[in-house]
mmCIF file with all atom_site columns, all heavy atoms in Angstrom:
data_model
loop_
_atom_site.group_PDB
_atom_site.id
_atom_site.type_symbol
_atom_site.label_atom_id
_atom_site.label_alt_id
_atom_site.label_comp_id
_atom_site.label_asym_id
_atom_site.label_entity_id
_atom_site.label_seq_id
_atom_site.pdbx_PDB_ins_code
_atom_site.Cartn_x
_atom_site.Cartn_y
_atom_site.Cartn_z
_atom_site.occupancy
_atom_site.B_iso_or_equiv
_atom_site.pdbx_formal_charge
_atom_site.auth_seq_id
_atom_site.auth_comp_id
_atom_site.auth_asym_id
_atom_site.auth_atom_id
_atom_site.pdbx_PDB_model_num
ATOM   1   N N   . LYS A 1 116 ? 13.567 -7.098  2.272   1.00 84.00 ? 135 LYS A N   1
ATOM   2   C CA  . LYS A 1 116 ? 13.030 -7.805  1.103   1.00 84.00 ? 135 LYS A CA  1
ATOM   3   C C   . LYS A 1 116 ? 13.795 -9.078  0.761   1.00 84.00 ? 135 LYS A C   1
ATOM   4   O O   . LYS A 1 116 ? 13.191 -10.060 0.326   1.00 84.00 ? 135 LYS A O   1
ATOM   5   C CB  . LYS A 1 116 ? 13.063 -6.889  -0.108  1.00 84.00 ? 135 LYS A CB  1
ATOM   6   C CG  . LYS A 1 116 ? 12.096 -5.741  -0.034  1.00 84.00 ? 135 LYS A CG  1
ATOM   7   C CD  . LYS A 1 116 ? 12.271 -4.927  -1.288  1.00 84.00 ? 135 LYS A CD  1
ATOM   8   C CE  . LYS A 1 116 ? 11.148 -3.941  -1.450  1.00 84.00 ? 135 LYS A CE  1
ATOM   9   N NZ  . LYS A 1 116 ? 11.052 -3.505  -2.834  1.00 84.00 ? 135 LYS A NZ  1
ATOM   10  N N   . VAL A 1 131 ? 10.691 -15.379 -7.349  1.00 93.00 ? 150 VAL A N   1
ATOM   11  C CA  . VAL A 1 131 ? 11.363 -15.101 -8.619  1.00 93.00 ? 150 VAL A CA  1
ATOM   12  C C   . VAL A 1 131 ? 12.812 -15.579 -8.496  1.00 93.00 ? 150 VAL A C   1
ATOM   13  O O   . VAL A 1 131 ? 13.445 -15.368 -7.462  1.00 93.00 ? 150 VAL A O   1
ATOM   14  C CB  . VAL A 1 131 ? 11.357 -13.583 -8.926  1.00 93.00 ? 150 VAL A CB  1
ATOM   15  C CG1 . VAL A 1 131 ? 11.817 -13.325 -10.349 1.00 93.00 ? 150 VAL A CG1 1
ATOM   16  C CG2 . VAL A 1 131 ? 9.983  -12.997 -8.708  1.00 93.00 ? 150 VAL A CG2 1
ATOM   17  N N   . ILE A 1 156 ? 16.364 -7.367  -12.547 1.00 96.00 ? 175 ILE A N   1
ATOM   18  C CA  . ILE A 1 156 ? 16.054 -6.152  -11.798 1.00 96.00 ? 175 ILE A CA  1
ATOM   19  C C   . ILE A 1 156 ? 16.906 -6.165  -10.538 1.00 96.00 ? 175 ILE A C   1
ATOM   20  O O   . ILE A 1 156 ? 16.994 -7.188  -9.867  1.00 96.00 ? 175 ILE A O   1
ATOM   21  C CB  . ILE A 1 156 ? 14.530 -6.022  -11.543 1.00 96.00 ? 175 ILE A CB  1
ATOM   22  C CG1 . ILE A 1 156 ? 14.163 -4.737  -10.800 1.00 96.00 ? 175 ILE A CG1 1
ATOM   23  C CG2 . ILE A 1 156 ? 13.952 -7.217  -10.804 1.00 96.00 ? 175 ILE A CG2 1
ATOM   24  C CD1 . ILE A 1 156 ? 12.671 -4.377  -10.887 1.00 96.00 ? 175 ILE A CD1 1
ATOM   25  N N   . LYS A 1 158 ? 17.419 -4.701  -6.900  1.00 94.00 ? 177 LYS A N   1
ATOM   26  C CA  . LYS A 1 158 ? 16.544 -4.045  -5.916  1.00 94.00 ? 177 LYS A CA  1
ATOM   27  C C   . LYS A 1 158 ? 17.270 -3.765  -4.615  1.00 94.00 ? 177 LYS A C   1
ATOM   28  O O   . LYS A 1 158 ? 18.010 -4.616  -4.123  1.00 94.00 ? 177 LYS A O   1
ATOM   29  C CB  . LYS A 1 158 ? 15.352 -4.953  -5.584  1.00 94.00 ? 177 LYS A CB  1
ATOM   30  C CG  . LYS A 1 158 ? 14.385 -5.180  -6.702  1.00 94.00 ? 177 LYS A CG  1
ATOM   31  C CD  . LYS A 1 158 ? 13.182 -5.921  -6.144  1.00 94.00 ? 177 LYS A CD  1
ATOM   32  C CE  . LYS A 1 158 ? 12.168 -6.228  -7.191  1.00 94.00 ? 177 LYS A CE  1
ATOM   33  N NZ  . LYS A 1 158 ? 10.988 -6.879  -6.600  1.00 94.00 ? 177 LYS A NZ  1
ATOM   34  N N   . GLY A 1 162 ? 14.552 -0.703  -0.009  1.00 86.00 ? 181 GLY A N   1
ATOM   35  C CA  . GLY A 1 162 ? 13.746 0.160   -0.887  1.00 86.00 ? 181 GLY A CA  1
ATOM   36  C C   . GLY A 1 162 ? 12.263 0.022   -0.601  1.00 86.00 ? 181 GLY A C   1
ATOM   37  O O   . GLY A 1 162 ? 11.836 -0.846  0.147   1.00 86.00 ? 181 GLY A O   1
ATOM   38  N N   . GLY A 1 163 ? 11.487 0.876   -1.220  1.00 80.00 ? 182 GLY A N   1
ATOM   39  C CA  . GLY A 1 163 ? 10.036 0.802   -1.039  1.00 80.00 ? 182 GLY A CA  1
ATOM   40  C C   . GLY A 1 163 ? 9.377  1.932   -1.789  1.00 80.00 ? 182 GLY A C   1
ATOM   41  O O   . GLY A 1 163 ? 10.055 2.878   -2.211  1.00 80.00 ? 182 GLY A O   1
ATOM   42  N N   . GLY A 1 164 ? 8.067  1.790   -1.963  1.00 74.00 ? 183 GLY A N   1
ATOM   43  C CA  . GLY A 1 164 ? 7.319  2.839   -2.646  1.00 74.00 ? 183 GLY A CA  1
ATOM   44  C C   . GLY A 1 164 ? 7.826  3.087   -4.054  1.00 74.00 ? 183 GLY A C   1
ATOM   45  O O   . GLY A 1 164 ? 7.797  4.206   -4.553  1.00 74.00 ? 183 GLY A O   1
ATOM   46  N N   . GLY A 1 165 ? 8.284  2.002   -4.695  1.00 75.00 ? 184 GLY A N   1
ATOM   47  C CA  . GLY A 1 165 ? 8.715  2.122   -6.082  1.00 75.00 ? 184 GLY A CA  1
ATOM   48  C C   . GLY A 1 165 ? 10.136 2.666   -6.230  1.00 75.00 ? 184 GLY A C   1
ATOM   49  O O   . GLY A 1 165 ? 10.636 2.805   -7.335  1.00 75.00 ? 184 GLY A O   1
ATOM   50  N N   . ARG A 1 166 ? 10.817 2.935   -5.120  1.00 82.00 ? 185 ARG A N   1
ATOM   51  C CA  . ARG A 1 166 ? 12.170 3.481   -5.219  1.00 82.00 ? 185 ARG A CA  1
ATOM   52  C C   . ARG A 1 166 ? 13.218 2.390   -4.985  1.00 82.00 ? 185 ARG A C   1
ATOM   53  O O   . ARG A 1 166 ? 12.962 1.414   -4.322  1.00 82.00 ? 185 ARG A O   1
ATOM   54  C CB  . ARG A 1 166 ? 12.360 4.609   -4.214  1.00 82.00 ? 185 ARG A CB  1
ATOM   55  C CG  . ARG A 1 166 ? 11.385 5.766   -4.495  1.00 82.00 ? 185 ARG A CG  1
ATOM   56  C CD  . ARG A 1 166 ? 11.662 6.969   -3.629  1.00 82.00 ? 185 ARG A CD  1
ATOM   57  N NE  . ARG A 1 166 ? 11.830 6.570   -2.240  1.00 82.00 ? 185 ARG A NE  1
ATOM   58  C CZ  . ARG A 1 166 ? 12.706 7.137   -1.416  1.00 82.00 ? 185 ARG A CZ  1
ATOM   59  N NH1 . ARG A 1 166 ? 13.497 8.082   -1.843  1.00 82.00 ? 185 ARG A NH1 1
ATOM   60  N NH2 . ARG A 1 166 ? 12.777 6.739   -0.166  1.00 82.00 ? 185 ARG A NH2 1
ATOM   61  N N   . MET A 1 168 ? 15.035 0.630   -7.472  1.00 92.00 ? 187 MET A N   1
ATOM   62  C CA  . MET A 1 168 ? 15.042 -0.488  -8.412  1.00 92.00 ? 187 MET A CA  1
ATOM   63  C C   . MET A 1 168 ? 15.657 -0.076  -9.742  1.00 92.00 ? 187 MET A C   1
ATOM   64  O O   . MET A 1 168 ? 15.462 1.045   -10.193 1.00 92.00 ? 187 MET A O   1
ATOM   65  C CB  . MET A 1 168 ? 13.612 -0.980  -8.648  1.00 92.00 ? 187 MET A CB  1
ATOM   66  C CG  . MET A 1 168 ? 13.029 -1.640  -7.421  1.00 92.00 ? 187 MET A CG  1
ATOM   67  S SD  . MET A 1 168 ? 11.402 -2.349  -7.680  1.00 92.00 ? 187 MET A SD  1
ATOM   68  C CE  . MET A 1 168 ? 10.457 -0.901  -7.932  1.00 92.00 ? 187 MET A CE  1
ATOM   69  N N   . TYR A 1 198 ? 19.853 -6.814  -4.024  1.00 94.00 ? 217 TYR A N   1
ATOM   70  C CA  . TYR A 1 198 ? 19.766 -8.193  -4.507  1.00 94.00 ? 217 TYR A CA  1
ATOM   71  C C   . TYR A 1 198 ? 19.263 -8.159  -5.946  1.00 94.00 ? 217 TYR A C   1
ATOM   72  O O   . TYR A 1 198 ? 18.829 -7.113  -6.444  1.00 94.00 ? 217 TYR A O   1
ATOM   73  C CB  . TYR A 1 198 ? 18.890 -9.060  -3.595  1.00 94.00 ? 217 TYR A CB  1
ATOM   74  C CG  . TYR A 1 198 ? 17.429 -8.663  -3.513  1.00 94.00 ? 217 TYR A CG  1
ATOM   75  C CD1 . TYR A 1 198 ? 16.449 -9.402  -4.193  1.00 94.00 ? 217 TYR A CD1 1
ATOM   76  C CD2 . TYR A 1 198 ? 17.028 -7.560  -2.762  1.00 94.00 ? 217 TYR A CD2 1
ATOM   77  C CE1 . TYR A 1 198 ? 15.110 -9.047  -4.117  1.00 94.00 ? 217 TYR A CE1 1
ATOM   78  C CE2 . TYR A 1 198 ? 15.693 -7.202  -2.687  1.00 94.00 ? 217 TYR A CE2 1
ATOM   79  C CZ  . TYR A 1 198 ? 14.740 -7.948  -3.365  1.00 94.00 ? 217 TYR A CZ  1
ATOM   80  O OH  . TYR A 1 198 ? 13.416 -7.595  -3.303  1.00 94.00 ? 217 TYR A OH  1
ATOM   81  N N   . GLU A 1 200 ? 16.986 -10.032 -9.110  1.00 94.00 ? 219 GLU A N   1
ATOM   82  C CA  . GLU A 1 200 ? 16.048 -11.069 -9.528  1.00 94.00 ? 219 GLU A CA  1
ATOM   83  C C   . GLU A 1 200 ? 15.742 -10.954 -11.013 1.00 94.00 ? 219 GLU A C   1
ATOM   84  O O   . GLU A 1 200 ? 15.969 -9.916  -11.639 1.00 94.00 ? 219 GLU A O   1
ATOM   85  C CB  . GLU A 1 200 ? 14.783 -11.113 -8.663  1.00 94.00 ? 219 GLU A CB  1
ATOM   86  C CG  . GLU A 1 200 ? 13.936 -9.894  -8.634  1.00 94.00 ? 219 GLU A CG  1
ATOM   87  C CD  . GLU A 1 200 ? 12.806 -10.003 -7.573  1.00 94.00 ? 219 GLU A CD  1
ATOM   88  O OE1 . GLU A 1 200 ? 12.985 -10.646 -6.518  1.00 94.00 ? 219 GLU A OE1 1
ATOM   89  O OE2 . GLU A 1 200 ? 11.759 -9.435  -7.826  1.00 94.00 ? 219 GLU A OE2 1
ATOM   90  N N   . LYS A 1 201 ? 15.275 -12.037 -11.546 1.00 95.00 ? 220 LYS A N   1
ATOM   91  C CA  . LYS A 1 201 ? 14.886 -12.075 -12.953 1.00 95.00 ? 220 LYS A CA  1
ATOM   92  C C   . LYS A 1 201 ? 13.769 -11.054 -13.146 1.00 95.00 ? 220 LYS A C   1
ATOM   93  O O   . LYS A 1 201 ? 12.857 -10.958 -12.315 1.00 95.00 ? 220 LYS A O   1
ATOM   94  C CB  . LYS A 1 201 ? 14.391 -13.479 -13.290 1.00 95.00 ? 220 LYS A CB  1
ATOM   95  C CG  . LYS A 1 201 ? 13.997 -13.672 -14.724 1.00 95.00 ? 220 LYS A CG  1
ATOM   96  C CD  . LYS A 1 201 ? 15.192 -14.024 -15.587 1.00 95.00 ? 220 LYS A CD  1
ATOM   97  C CE  . LYS A 1 201 ? 14.809 -14.048 -17.063 1.00 95.00 ? 220 LYS A CE  1
ATOM   98  N NZ  . LYS A 1 201 ? 16.006 -14.049 -17.922 1.00 95.00 ? 220 LYS A NZ  1
ATOM   99  N N   . TYR A 1 202 ? 13.864 -10.299 -14.231 1.00 95.00 ? 221 TYR A N   1
ATOM   100 C CA  . TYR A 1 202 ? 12.822 -9.316  -14.518 1.00 95.00 ? 221 TYR A CA  1
ATOM   101 C C   . TYR A 1 202 ? 11.725 -10.023 -15.300 1.00 95.00 ? 221 TYR A C   1
ATOM   102 O O   . TYR A 1 202 ? 11.957 -10.530 -16.401 1.00 95.00 ? 221 TYR A O   1
ATOM   103 C CB  . TYR A 1 202 ? 13.429 -8.160  -15.323 1.00 95.00 ? 221 TYR A CB  1
ATOM   104 C CG  . TYR A 1 202 ? 12.464 -7.030  -15.541 1.00 95.00 ? 221 TYR A CG  1
ATOM   105 C CD1 . TYR A 1 202 ? 12.003 -6.274  -14.465 1.00 95.00 ? 221 TYR A CD1 1
ATOM   106 C CD2 . TYR A 1 202 ? 12.009 -6.723  -16.807 1.00 95.00 ? 221 TYR A CD2 1
ATOM   107 C CE1 . TYR A 1 202 ? 11.108 -5.238  -14.660 1.00 95.00 ? 221 TYR A CE1 1
ATOM   108 C CE2 . TYR A 1 202 ? 11.115 -5.684  -17.009 1.00 95.00 ? 221 TYR A CE2 1
ATOM   109 C CZ  . TYR A 1 202 ? 10.673 -4.943  -15.928 1.00 95.00 ? 221 TYR A CZ  1
ATOM   110 O OH  . TYR A 1 202 ? 9.787  -3.918  -16.128 1.00 95.00 ? 221 TYR A OH  1
ATOM   111 N N   . ILE A 1 203 ? 10.553 -10.077 -14.714 1.00 95.00 ? 222 ILE A N   1
ATOM   112 C CA  . ILE A 1 203 ? 9.436  -10.758 -15.362 1.00 95.00 ? 222 ILE A CA  1
ATOM   113 C C   . ILE A 1 203 ? 8.826  -9.808  -16.396 1.00 95.00 ? 222 ILE A C   1
ATOM   114 O O   . ILE A 1 203 ? 8.483  -8.672  -16.072 1.00 95.00 ? 222 ILE A O   1
ATOM   115 C CB  . ILE A 1 203 ? 8.342  -11.148 -14.321 1.00 95.00 ? 222 ILE A CB  1
ATOM   116 C CG1 . ILE A 1 203 ? 8.951  -11.865 -13.103 1.00 95.00 ? 222 ILE A CG1 1
ATOM   117 C CG2 . ILE A 1 203 ? 7.218  -11.948 -14.967 1.00 95.00 ? 222 ILE A CG2 1
ATOM   118 C CD1 . ILE A 1 203 ? 9.300  -13.295 -13.301 1.00 95.00 ? 222 ILE A CD1 1
ATOM   119 N N   . PRO A 1 206 ? 4.287  -8.475  -16.380 1.00 97.00 ? 225 PRO A N   1
ATOM   120 C CA  . PRO A 1 206 ? 3.504  -9.191  -15.359 1.00 97.00 ? 225 PRO A CA  1
ATOM   121 C C   . PRO A 1 206 ? 2.315  -8.369  -14.886 1.00 97.00 ? 225 PRO A C   1
ATOM   122 O O   . PRO A 1 206 ? 2.199  -7.183  -15.225 1.00 97.00 ? 225 PRO A O   1
ATOM   123 C CB  . PRO A 1 206 ? 4.511  -9.325  -14.218 1.00 97.00 ? 225 PRO A CB  1
ATOM   124 C CG  . PRO A 1 206 ? 5.315  -8.065  -14.295 1.00 97.00 ? 225 PRO A CG  1
ATOM   125 C CD  . PRO A 1 206 ? 5.381  -7.687  -15.756 1.00 97.00 ? 225 PRO A CD  1
ATOM   126 N N   . HIS A 1 208 ? 0.553  -7.201  -11.225 1.00 98.00 ? 227 HIS A N   1
ATOM   127 C CA  . HIS A 1 208 ? 0.823  -7.159  -9.780  1.00 98.00 ? 227 HIS A CA  1
ATOM   128 C C   . HIS A 1 208 ? -0.471 -7.566  -9.075  1.00 98.00 ? 227 HIS A C   1
ATOM   129 O O   . HIS A 1 208 ? -1.469 -6.858  -9.145  1.00 98.00 ? 227 HIS A O   1
ATOM   130 C CB  . HIS A 1 208 ? 1.250  -5.737  -9.388  1.00 98.00 ? 227 HIS A CB  1
ATOM   131 C CG  . HIS A 1 208 ? 1.408  -5.530  -7.900  1.00 98.00 ? 227 HIS A CG  1
ATOM   132 N ND1 . HIS A 1 208 ? 2.577  -5.075  -7.336  1.00 98.00 ? 227 HIS A ND1 1
ATOM   133 C CD2 . HIS A 1 208 ? 0.548  -5.710  -6.869  1.00 98.00 ? 227 HIS A CD2 1
ATOM   134 C CE1 . HIS A 1 208 ? 2.422  -4.998  -6.019  1.00 98.00 ? 227 HIS A CE1 1
ATOM   135 N NE2 . HIS A 1 208 ? 1.188  -5.362  -5.715  1.00 98.00 ? 227 HIS A NE2 1
ATOM   136 N N   . GLN A 1 232 ? 0.049  1.119   -12.497 1.00 97.00 ? 251 GLN A N   1
ATOM   137 C CA  . GLN A 1 232 ? 1.104  1.776   -11.734 1.00 97.00 ? 251 GLN A CA  1
ATOM   138 C C   . GLN A 1 232 ? 1.823  2.804   -12.594 1.00 97.00 ? 251 GLN A C   1
ATOM   139 O O   . GLN A 1 232 ? 1.951  2.620   -13.794 1.00 97.00 ? 251 GLN A O   1
ATOM   140 C CB  . GLN A 1 232 ? 2.178  0.761   -11.306 1.00 97.00 ? 251 GLN A CB  1
ATOM   141 C CG  . GLN A 1 232 ? 1.666  -0.471  -10.614 1.00 97.00 ? 251 GLN A CG  1
ATOM   142 C CD  . GLN A 1 232 ? 2.791  -1.428  -10.253 1.00 97.00 ? 251 GLN A CD  1
ATOM   143 O OE1 . GLN A 1 232 ? 3.869  -1.368  -10.823 1.00 97.00 ? 251 GLN A OE1 1
ATOM   144 N NE2 . GLN A 1 232 ? 2.528  -2.314  -9.302  1.00 97.00 ? 251 GLN A NE2 1
ATOM   145 N N   . HIS A 1 235 ? 6.230  2.334   -10.849 1.00 90.00 ? 254 HIS A N   1
ATOM   146 C CA  . HIS A 1 235 ? 6.099  1.313   -9.801  1.00 90.00 ? 254 HIS A CA  1
ATOM   147 C C   . HIS A 1 235 ? 5.237  1.746   -8.625  1.00 90.00 ? 254 HIS A C   1
ATOM   148 O O   . HIS A 1 235 ? 5.261  1.138   -7.568  1.00 90.00 ? 254 HIS A O   1
ATOM   149 C CB  . HIS A 1 235 ? 7.475  0.857   -9.288  1.00 90.00 ? 254 HIS A CB  1
ATOM   150 C CG  . HIS A 1 235 ? 8.365  0.350   -10.375 1.00 90.00 ? 254 HIS A CG  1
ATOM   151 N ND1 . HIS A 1 235 ? 8.000  -0.678  -11.214 1.00 90.00 ? 254 HIS A ND1 1
ATOM   152 C CD2 . HIS A 1 235 ? 9.597  0.734   -10.777 1.00 90.00 ? 254 HIS A CD2 1
ATOM   153 C CE1 . HIS A 1 235 ? 8.972  -0.901  -12.082 1.00 90.00 ? 254 HIS A CE1 1
ATOM   154 N NE2 . HIS A 1 235 ? 9.951  -0.051  -11.852 1.00 90.00 ? 254 HIS A NE2 1
ATOM   155 N N   . GLU A 1 275 ? 2.597  -9.729  -1.779  1.00 97.00 ? 294 GLU A N   1
ATOM   156 C CA  . GLU A 1 275 ? 2.575  -9.250  -3.164  1.00 97.00 ? 294 GLU A CA  1
ATOM   157 C C   . GLU A 1 275 ? 3.195  -10.287 -4.094  1.00 97.00 ? 294 GLU A C   1
ATOM   158 O O   . GLU A 1 275 ? 4.282  -10.804 -3.821  1.00 97.00 ? 294 GLU A O   1
ATOM   159 C CB  . GLU A 1 275 ? 3.346  -7.932  -3.286  1.00 97.00 ? 294 GLU A CB  1
ATOM   160 C CG  . GLU A 1 275 ? 2.730  -6.812  -2.469  1.00 97.00 ? 294 GLU A CG  1
ATOM   161 C CD  . GLU A 1 275 ? 3.353  -5.446  -2.736  1.00 97.00 ? 294 GLU A CD  1
ATOM   162 O OE1 . GLU A 1 275 ? 4.515  -5.383  -3.211  1.00 97.00 ? 294 GLU A OE1 1
ATOM   163 O OE2 . GLU A 1 275 ? 2.686  -4.438  -2.460  1.00 97.00 ? 294 GLU A OE2 1
ATOM   164 N N   . LEU A 1 277 ? 3.881  -11.377 -8.419  1.00 97.00 ? 296 LEU A N   1
ATOM   165 C CA  . LEU A 1 277 ? 3.811  -11.051 -9.839  1.00 97.00 ? 296 LEU A CA  1
ATOM   166 C C   . LEU A 1 277 ? 3.200  -12.262 -10.525 1.00 97.00 ? 296 LEU A C   1
ATOM   167 O O   . LEU A 1 277 ? 3.569  -13.394 -10.232 1.00 97.00 ? 296 LEU A O   1
ATOM   168 C CB  . LEU A 1 277 ? 5.214  -10.784 -10.404 1.00 97.00 ? 296 LEU A CB  1
ATOM   169 C CG  . LEU A 1 277 ? 5.897  -9.506  -9.924  1.00 97.00 ? 296 LEU A CG  1
ATOM   170 C CD1 . LEU A 1 277 ? 7.310  -9.420  -10.490 1.00 97.00 ? 296 LEU A CD1 1
ATOM   171 C CD2 . LEU A 1 277 ? 5.098  -8.272  -10.329 1.00 97.00 ? 296 LEU A CD2 1
ATOM   172 N N   . MET A 1 287 ? 6.860  -11.560 -4.268  1.00 93.00 ? 306 MET A N   1
ATOM   173 C CA  . MET A 1 287 ? 7.718  -10.393 -4.448  1.00 93.00 ? 306 MET A CA  1
ATOM   174 C C   . MET A 1 287 ? 8.080  -9.778  -3.112  1.00 93.00 ? 306 MET A C   1
ATOM   175 O O   . MET A 1 287 ? 9.230  -9.621  -2.787  1.00 93.00 ? 306 MET A O   1
ATOM   176 C CB  . MET A 1 287 ? 7.001  -9.393  -5.337  1.00 93.00 ? 306 MET A CB  1
ATOM   177 C CG  . MET A 1 287 ? 7.864  -8.308  -5.852  1.00 93.00 ? 306 MET A CG  1
ATOM   178 S SD  . MET A 1 287 ? 7.068  -7.411  -7.188  1.00 93.00 ? 306 MET A SD  1
ATOM   179 C CE  . MET A 1 287 ? 5.387  -7.302  -6.661  1.00 93.00 ? 306 MET A CE  1
ATOM   180 N N   . GLU A 1 288 ? 7.081  -9.423  -2.313  1.00 92.00 ? 307 GLU A N   1
ATOM   181 C CA  . GLU A 1 288 ? 7.381  -8.927  -0.970  1.00 92.00 ? 307 GLU A CA  1
ATOM   182 C C   . GLU A 1 288 ? 6.138  -8.996  -0.097  1.00 92.00 ? 307 GLU A C   1
ATOM   183 O O   . GLU A 1 288 ? 5.027  -9.175  -0.588  1.00 92.00 ? 307 GLU A O   1
ATOM   184 C CB  . GLU A 1 288 ? 7.923  -7.490  -1.015  1.00 92.00 ? 307 GLU A CB  1
ATOM   185 C CG  . GLU A 1 288 ? 6.909  -6.450  -1.434  1.00 92.00 ? 307 GLU A CG  1
ATOM   186 C CD  . GLU A 1 288 ? 7.384  -5.021  -1.125  1.00 92.00 ? 307 GLU A CD  1
ATOM   187 O OE1 . GLU A 1 288 ? 8.245  -4.835  -0.252  1.00 92.00 ? 307 GLU A OE1 1
ATOM   188 O OE2 . GLU A 1 288 ? 6.869  -4.088  -1.747  1.00 92.00 ? 307 GLU A OE2 1
ATOM   189 N N   . THR A 1 436 ? 1.636  -4.335  -15.726 1.00 97.00 ? 455 THR A N   1
ATOM   190 C CA  . THR A 1 436 ? 2.239  -3.239  -14.953 1.00 97.00 ? 455 THR A CA  1
ATOM   191 C C   . THR A 1 436 ? 2.825  -2.134  -15.847 1.00 97.00 ? 455 THR A C   1
ATOM   192 O O   . THR A 1 436 ? 3.182  -1.075  -15.352 1.00 97.00 ? 455 THR A O   1
ATOM   193 C CB  . THR A 1 436 ? 3.358  -3.744  -14.016 1.00 97.00 ? 455 THR A CB  1
ATOM   194 O OG1 . THR A 1 436 ? 4.338  -4.424  -14.804 1.00 97.00 ? 455 THR A OG1 1
ATOM   195 C CG2 . THR A 1 436 ? 2.826  -4.697  -12.959 1.00 97.00 ? 455 THR A CG2 1
HETATM 196 P P1  . ADP B 2 .   ? 8.158  -1.447  -3.647  1.00 53.65 ? 15  ADP B P1  1
HETATM 197 O O1  . ADP B 2 .   ? 8.417  -2.014  -2.304  1.00 53.65 ? 15  ADP B O1  1
HETATM 198 O O2  . ADP B 2 .   ? 9.014  -0.282  -3.975  1.00 53.65 ? 15  ADP B O2  1
HETATM 199 O O3  . ADP B 2 .   ? 6.698  -1.234  -3.914  1.00 53.65 ? 15  ADP B O3  1
HETATM 200 P P2  . ADP B 2 .   ? 8.085  -3.957  -5.106  1.00 53.65 ? 15  ADP B P2  1
HETATM 201 O O4  . ADP B 2 .   ? 9.101  -4.991  -4.855  1.00 53.65 ? 15  ADP B O4  1
HETATM 202 O O5  . ADP B 2 .   ? 6.735  -4.133  -4.489  1.00 53.65 ? 15  ADP B O5  1
HETATM 203 O O6  . ADP B 2 .   ? 8.686  -2.548  -4.682  1.00 53.65 ? 15  ADP B O6  1
HETATM 204 O O7  . ADP B 2 .   ? 7.903  -3.753  -6.665  1.00 53.65 ? 15  ADP B O7  1
HETATM 205 C C1  . ADP B 2 .   ? 7.114  -2.698  -7.188  1.00 53.65 ? 15  ADP B C1  1
HETATM 206 C C2  . ADP B 2 .   ? 6.771  -2.932  -8.633  1.00 53.65 ? 15  ADP B C2  1
HETATM 207 O O8  . ADP B 2 .   ? 7.968  -3.125  -9.415  1.00 53.65 ? 15  ADP B O8  1
HETATM 208 C C3  . ADP B 2 .   ? 5.958  -4.175  -8.899  1.00 53.65 ? 15  ADP B C3  1
HETATM 209 O O9  . ADP B 2 .   ? 4.591  -3.974  -8.689  1.00 53.65 ? 15  ADP B O9  1
HETATM 210 C C4  . ADP B 2 .   ? 6.284  -4.454  -10.357 1.00 53.65 ? 15  ADP B C4  1
HETATM 211 O O10 . ADP B 2 .   ? 5.567  -3.597  -11.213 1.00 53.65 ? 15  ADP B O10 1
HETATM 212 C C5  . ADP B 2 .   ? 7.750  -4.076  -10.450 1.00 53.65 ? 15  ADP B C5  1
HETATM 213 N N1  . ADP B 2 .   ? 8.635  -5.253  -10.225 1.00 53.65 ? 15  ADP B N1  1
HETATM 214 C C6  . ADP B 2 .   ? 9.248  -5.607  -9.079  1.00 53.65 ? 15  ADP B C6  1
HETATM 215 N N2  . ADP B 2 .   ? 9.973  -6.744  -9.236  1.00 53.65 ? 15  ADP B N2  1
HETATM 216 C C7  . ADP B 2 .   ? 9.829  -7.143  -10.512 1.00 53.65 ? 15  ADP B C7  1
HETATM 217 C C8  . ADP B 2 .   ? 10.323 -8.247  -11.298 1.00 53.65 ? 15  ADP B C8  1
HETATM 218 N N3  . ADP B 2 .   ? 11.132 -9.178  -10.800 1.00 53.65 ? 15  ADP B N3  1
HETATM 219 N N4  . ADP B 2 .   ? 9.939  -8.313  -12.589 1.00 53.65 ? 15  ADP B N4  1
HETATM 220 C C9  . ADP B 2 .   ? 9.119  -7.364  -13.135 1.00 53.65 ? 15  ADP B C9  1
HETATM 221 N N5  . ADP B 2 .   ? 8.626  -6.313  -12.455 1.00 53.65 ? 15  ADP B N5  1
HETATM 222 C C10 . ADP B 2 .   ? 8.968  -6.180  -11.163 1.00 53.65 ? 15  ADP B C10 1
#
Side-chain angles (χ1 to χ4, degrees):
K135 291 179 167 200
V150 191
I175 182 163
K177 293 188 181 183
R185 298 187 313 143
M187 291 185 293
Y217 64 104
E219 61 188 32
K220 182 85 187 166
Y221 186 66
I222 311 282
H227 174 124
Q251 309 179 340
H254 304 304
E294 297 189 337
L296 291 176
M306 193 166 39
E307 69 166 338
T455 57

